[in-house]
Every structure is written in structure tokens, then in C-alpha cells.
């Protein structure tokens, strides 16, 4: 966000492991210590609860727009105000040329994330979503409610919080959809031009307690 005031809210389970970084003008870091979860799936899902609390407690009073991004990302080019909107979804790079019948939505009717075959315009990536604080608060509250309802019914959506995010965006259309260049995976191919944000290469067996 060149030229804008930016606050980085970083969720960590161990504050001491945050690296020292010198931030530029109008840049502020606000780490938030969260409980460590036993499974990476629960880390992913429970962030919806944490985000809801943070948005309600203080974020809504500090910013005009807020983005939730996975931490394992590399910024490759300026990520600017063209991404700002009331409710912002990220088109998942791997499905950019796929019909909706190939989207990996949750297909079991027992889940609150269920999407019927043939429905849906895009497959949205949970690595990036955003908007105004009030709209994002509604999104994360809805996703968390769906996750907890599934837990009560002993079911877990196929792609966890991402499945619930896609159900939310089916029922509440984003006002802005970011193209795959805004969250690209170089495993698809390396010649994509104008990549703004890319998945970091990593060894899942190393970074996850359970793969």
C-alpha cells in the first residue's frame, strides 16, 4: 500500500520468535499472541474466531480497510489501493480456467459449508480476503459459526475455513474479486507476469506438526 498508513497485525503463538524488522514511515507492527492449536487445520479454522475478536475489540476503530493474509507469502510488486473494496475475494490461482464442477467445494449436505454441484462463480482462496472492517467482521463471524456447527455435528469441511469462506461468498457476493496475480503459485508456471503476491515455497512436513 505505497503512500498509505499501514498496520500489520501478526498472529503468533510465540512472541519471542518474531524477527526484528525496521519499518518505514507510516508502518506499524501490532503482534497478537494466540493459543497454539494441536492441528494445522484448527490453526486455520480458529483464526476466524481470533479475527472476529480482534476486529470487534480494536481493528474496526483503527483502519478503513483490513486484509487477512496467510503469513507464508512473498510480496513481489506493489500491492496497492486498487485492491481495496467493501468486500474483497481472491480468485484461487489453480482454478482460474476450471468450470465450477471442478471446484473443490464442500459437497456433503451435512456440512454448513455445503455448495450444490453447478453452483458458484469462482473458487475463492482463503489466503487472501478483505474489505471494510464491518464486512470482514460479518464474514469471519459467519464462517466461525459454520465451523462450530460442523464440529457439533462431527463433520469437518473438506478445505476447513476455506470451504466456509466459499459458502459465504456464494451467499454474499464480493464487491471486488482479485485476479490470480494477487496470490500466485509458481508451481502452476513461472512465466506469469505482474505477480503481486506469491505463495512461498515450503516443506509442509517441516512446518506442520501433522501433514
Amino acid at each position: 500500500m505505497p503512500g498509505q498508513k499501514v498496520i500489520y497485525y501478526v498472529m503468533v503463538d510465540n512472541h519471542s520468535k518474531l524477527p526484528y524488522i525496521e519499518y518505514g514511515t507510516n508502518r506499524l507492527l501490532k503482534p497478537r499472541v494466540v493459543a497454539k492449536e494441536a492441528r494445522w487445520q484448527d490453526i486455520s479454522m480458529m483464526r476466524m474466531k481470533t479475527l472476529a475478536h480482534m476486529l470487534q475489540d480494536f481493528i474496526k476503530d483503527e483502519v478503513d480497510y483490513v486484509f487477512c493474509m496467510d503469513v507464508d507469502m512473498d510480496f513481489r510488486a506493489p500491492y496497492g489501493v486498487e485492491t481495496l473494496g467493501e468486500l474483497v475475494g481472491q480468485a484461487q490461482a489453480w482454478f482460474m480456467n476450471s468450470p465450477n464442477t471442478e471446484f473443490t467445494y464442500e459437497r456433503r449436505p451435512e456440512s454448513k459449508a455445503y455448495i450444490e454441484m453447478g453452483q458458484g462463480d469462482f473458487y475463492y482462496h482463503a489466503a487472501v480476503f478483505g474489505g471494510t472492517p464491518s464486512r470482514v467482521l460479518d464474514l469471519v463471524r459467519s464462517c466461525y459459526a459454520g465451523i462450530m456447527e460442523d464440529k457439533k455435528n462431527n463433520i469437518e469441511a473438506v478445505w476447513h475455513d476455506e470451504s466456509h469462506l466459499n459458502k459465504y461468498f456464494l451467499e454474499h457476493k464480493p464487491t471486488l474479486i482479485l485476479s490470480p496475480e494477487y496470490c500466485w503459485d509458481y508451481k502452476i508456471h513461472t512465466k506469469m507476469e505482474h505477480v503481486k503476491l506469491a505463495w512461498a515455497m515450503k516443506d509442509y512436513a517441516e512446518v506442520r506438526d501433522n501433514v
Side-chain angles (χ1 to χ4, degrees), residues 1-6 25-27 78-81:
M1 294 292 165
Q4 306 300 312
K5 180 180 178 181
V6 177
T25 304
N26 286 328
R27 296 293 184 269
Y79 194 102
V81 295

Side-chain angles (χ1 to χ4, degrees), residues 5 14 131 136 158 164 177:
K5 180 180 178 181
N14 187 338
V136 177
V158 60
H164 291 275
I177 301 171

Side-chain angles (χ1 to χ4, degrees), residues 142-155:
S142 178
C143 289
Y144 179 63
I147 289 166
M148 296 310 294
E149 185 69 21
D150 276 4
K151 282 184 176 291
K152 284 199 304 184
N153 295 323
N154 199 30
I155 189 169

Side-chain angles (χ1 to χ4, degrees), residues 21 23 37 60 67 70 74-76 80 83 104 132 138 143 145 150 156 164 169 173 175 187 207 210:
I21 299 173
Y23 292 91
E37 301 287 347
K60 64 179 176 57
F67 276 92
D70 284 0
D74 291 329
F75 284 96
R76 299 298 181 96
T83 63
T104 53
T132 61
D138 184 71
C143 289
D150 276 4
E156 187 169 280
H164 291 275
F169 278 147
K173 300 299 185 185
T175 60
K187 288 181 181 178
V207 299
N210 63 306

Side-chain angles (χ1 to χ4, degrees), residues 120-172:
D121 302 316
F122 294 91
Y123 187 89
Y124 296 98
H125 198 171
V128 177
F129 60 88
T132 61
S134 62
R135 293 298 300 272
V136 177
L137 180 59
D138 184 71
L139 183 157
V140 297
R141 280 175 170 168
S142 178
C143 289
Y144 179 63
I147 289 166
M148 296 310 294
E149 185 69 21
D150 276 4
K151 282 184 176 291
K152 284 199 304 184
N153 295 323
N154 199 30
I155 189 169
E156 187 169 280
V158 60
W159 286 115
H160 319 110
D161 55 316
E162 186 169 84
S163 297
H164 291 275
L165 178 81
N166 273 276
K167 180 60 176 287
Y168 184 88
F169 278 147
L170 177 69
E171 298 176 340
H172 307 82

Side-chain angles (χ1 to χ4, degrees), residues 36-129:
K36 181 177 175 62
E37 301 287 347
R39 305 162 61 239
W40 69 263
Q41 294 93 336
D42 288 317
I43 294 172
S44 185
M45 289 188 287
M46 290 304 104
R47 66 173 172 165
M48 293 296 185
K49 176 183 178 181
T50 303
L51 282 166
H53 288 162
M54 291 173 65
L55 281 157
Q56 182 61 46
D57 291 347
F58 56 91
I59 291 178
K60 64 179 176 57
D61 299 318
E62 297 181 344
V63 298
D64 297 312
Y65 298 94
V66 60
F67 276 92
C68 176
M69 293 181 171
D70 284 0
V71 72
D72 52 347
M73 297 285 181
D74 291 329
F75 284 96
R76 299 298 181 96
Y79 194 102
V81 295
E82 75 279 1
T83 63
L84 300 179
E86 188 176 345
L87 184 62
V88 182
Q90 172 66 58
Q92 220 274 11
W94 281 91
F95 293 107
M96 62 180 180
N97 294 317
S98 302
N100 64 5
T101 52
E102 295 181 9
F103 295 168
T104 53
Y105 292 148
E106 174 54 60
R107 299 300 189 185
R108 293 168 294 176
E110 299 84 3
S111 172
K112 298 297 289 184
Y114 168 65
I115 296 178
E116 184 179 352
M117 187 66 71
Q119 289 190 333
D121 302 316
F122 294 91
Y123 187 89
Y124 296 98
H125 198 171
V128 177
F129 60 88

